[in-house]
Amino acid sequence: MATAAHVDEHAHHGPPPANQSSRVDSRLLGIYLFIGSEIMLFGSFFTMYFFARVIVGPDSWPPEGFHLPVYLAFLNTVILVTSSFTMHWALQSVKRNHRAGLIAGLLLTFLLGLTFLLIQMREYSRLGFGPGDLAFASTFFGLTGLHGAHVFVGLTLLLFALIRSIRGHFGPAAHDHLGVELPGIYWHFVDVMWIVVYVTVYVL
Amino acid sequence: MKNPVRTEGEAFGFLIAAVAIFGVIGAAGAIAGGAAALAALVAAAVGLGAGIWIAAEPKVREPAVWERRDPDAERRVD
């Protein structure tokens, strides 16, 4: 008996491929949208900061007795900018199939980011005021704390990337190191946010 | 408008530009006060807008669209 059904050589097995209407890879699009939402979030915090500053007035900002460690924060800025350089080094290394450079770059970036967070926590403990002390303190802790939380998220992503790079998951082809590219984009965004926070809150 | 975080390399370049621009703004504020910082901010914003307006998109850019899976490849659910 002939086969009941003609088996097409090109028959599709399993579910149909997911529709991809965008020309941009969905994972890349995800990180773009995430960064866009974070820009909105930081924008709202900056709005709060400038609103409070205008209401309080320049003569009382910062209020008497409230001092910010500008130079310590500058050191932190240097550390964070340096971590972006090591992150870029890691990406360049993976594109050149240089695994040792990738691992070293990711490890250095992670350690520098961790140092930044630890210094910030030490700074918090020695400030002499808390989040509930006047609008100045609330906006300060709000902005810097929000940024610190983003650094923590970035460190988590970097840790995943570091572990996967040690296990040899990444390659030089573009689609083989998205797990490093996307955390890299996020880390540079976090760094840019810190530059804006530092200049706005500590310097100006 | 060009996406400044299209790839990691472009995000890194964006960071360097941000350091330079905000460095100038911060230095102006620290040296000459808030008005100078505001003037520097306005100048940077105008310059940035003019630069975006004048600069053309480069003809050849690093592809941001990663290669899709080969359409002939099978997707199996075992």
Side-chain angles (χ1 to χ4, degrees), chain A residues 13 22-23 32 174 181 188, chain B residues 6 8 64-66 68 75:
Chain A
H13 297 278
S22 171
R23 64 184 178 90
Y32 295 159
E181 181 96 21
H188 294 321
Chain B
R6 191 169 159 269
E8 184 276 334
V65 179
W66 313 114
R68 298 247 176 91
R75 284 179 169 241

Side-chain angles (χ1 to χ4, degrees), chain A residues 13-15 17 20 22-23 25 28 32 84-85 88 91 95 174 178 181 184-185 188 191-192 195-196 199 203-204, chain B residues 3 5-9 11-12 14-16 18-19 22 25-26 29-30 37 62 64-68 74-75 77:
Chain A
H13 297 278
Q20 285 188 310
S22 171
R23 64 184 178 90
D25 181 271
L28 262 178
Y32 295 159
S84 272
F85 276 86
H88 187 61
L91 256 299
K95 287 172 184 173
L178 265 185
E181 181 96 21
I185 292 173
H188 294 321
D191 206 345
V192 170
I195 299 297
V196 181
V199 170
V203 177
L204 297 178
Chain B
N3 181 356
V5 294
R6 191 169 159 269
T7 63
E8 184 276 334
F12 182 67
F14 181 62
L15 167 69
I16 301 302
V19 170
F22 280 92
I25 293 170
E62 180 186 343
V65 179
W66 313 114
E67 286 181 20
R68 298 247 176 91
E74 289 185 337
R75 284 179 169 241
V77 177

Side-chain angles (χ1 to χ4, degrees), chain A residues 7-88:
Chain A
V7 178
D8 188 352
E9 288 180 5
H10 302 289
H12 182 79
H13 297 278
N19 177 51
Q20 285 188 310
S21 57
S22 171
R23 64 184 178 90
V24 180
D25 181 271
S26 55
R27 292 159 293 183
L28 262 178
L29 186 60
I31 201 71
Y32 295 159
L33 291 175
F34 177 55
I35 287 175
S37 73
E38 295 301 288
I39 288 172
M40 294 295 113
L41 182 60
F42 271 99
S44 66
F45 273 70
F46 274 111
T47 303
M48 168 194 71
Y49 173 81
F50 286 118
F51 182 79
R53 190 161 173 171
V54 167
I55 293 294
V56 170
D59 296 332
S60 305
W61 195 280
E64 191 69 35
F66 287 72
H67 302 288
L68 295 179
V70 181
Y71 296 107
L72 184 65
F74 178 73
L75 171 67
N76 248 3
T77 304
V78 170
I79 288 171
L80 208 58
V81 172
T82 305
S83 73
S84 272
F85 276 86
T86 53
M87 186 73 224
H88 187 61

Side-chain angles (χ1 to χ4, degrees), chain B residues 4-65:
Chain B
V5 294
R6 191 169 159 269
T7 63
E8 184 276 334
E10 294 187 18
F12 182 67
F14 181 62
L15 167 69
I16 301 302
V19 170
I21 291 171
F22 280 92
V24 168
I25 293 170
I31 294 170
L38 184 61
L41 176 66
V42 171
V46 170
L48 198 62
I52 293 170
W53 177 264
I54 293 167
E57 284 270 334
K59 298 272 188 274
V60 178
R61 296 176 77 191
E62 180 186 343
V65 179

